[in-house]
Amino acid sequence: QVQLVESGGGLVQAGGSLRLSCTASGSILSIGSMGWYRVAPGKQRESVARITSDGRTNYADAVKGRFTISRDNAKNTVYLQMSSLKPEDTAVYYCHLYYNDYTGWLEIWGQGTLVTVSS
């Protein structure tokens, strides 16, 4: 069984920074693309950033130039460095990834971590 553990959320003032981490553990042969999504109050889930297994990245327009996604394959971990945070970045952030557990490709979501940006 595979689990994701997220950490790094919290309360920060506008203009500040936070770093989110998400680590996968369990029966994992390999991990494909990894990403971060968010759900803001009263809004639908949106993709924030994704990174492929070979390091290619893409970002939502709202976070380009402020957020950086990276991964450590040896640690099965994906990071989201968030800088110049704005109140509109307030949301629950979820990590997501595709993995192969020796039987085929599956996907899994993290439990979510709350990021609150005060003005």
Side-chain angles (χ1 to χ4, degrees):
Q1 193 168 356
V2 175
Q3 291 184 325
L4 295 183
V5 177
E6 298 181 25
S7 62
L11 174 64
V12 64
Q13 289 189 330
S17 299
L18 282 175
R19 188 195 197 201
L20 306 182
S21 300
C22 175
T23 299
S25 62
S27 181
I28 298 172
L29 176 61
S30 60
I31 296 178
S33 67
M34 310 173 83
W36 290 93
Y37 292 74
R38 66 186 182 186
V39 180
K43 296 187 177 181
Q44 292 186 328
R45 185 180 67 195
E46 64 173 342
S47 176
V48 176
R50 290 204 67 84
I51 184 168
T52 64
S53 57
D54 58 356
R56 287 173 290 138
T57 59
N58 64 71
Y59 297 92
D61 288 343
V63 307
K64 281 181 181 177
R66 300 188 298 121
F67 291 9
T68 301
I69 189 170
S70 61
R71 61 192 286 169
D72 185 332
N73 292 328
K75 296 181 179 179
N76 289 343
T77 298
V78 61
Y79 304 97
L80 186 67
Q81 178 66 49
M82 304 184 294
S83 302
S84 302
L85 283 161
K86 304 175 181 180
E88 51 263 44
D89 294 318
T90 294
V92 178
Y93 285 72
Y94 298 88
C95 69
H96 171 269
L97 60 86
Y98 293 96
Y99 69 96
N100 190 315
D101 71 343
Y102 298 88
T103 66
W105 286 97
L106 301 170
E107 62 179 317
I108 187 171
W109 291 88
Q111 81 280 5
T113 185
L114 177 62
V115 172
T116 303
V117 184
S118 63
S119 58

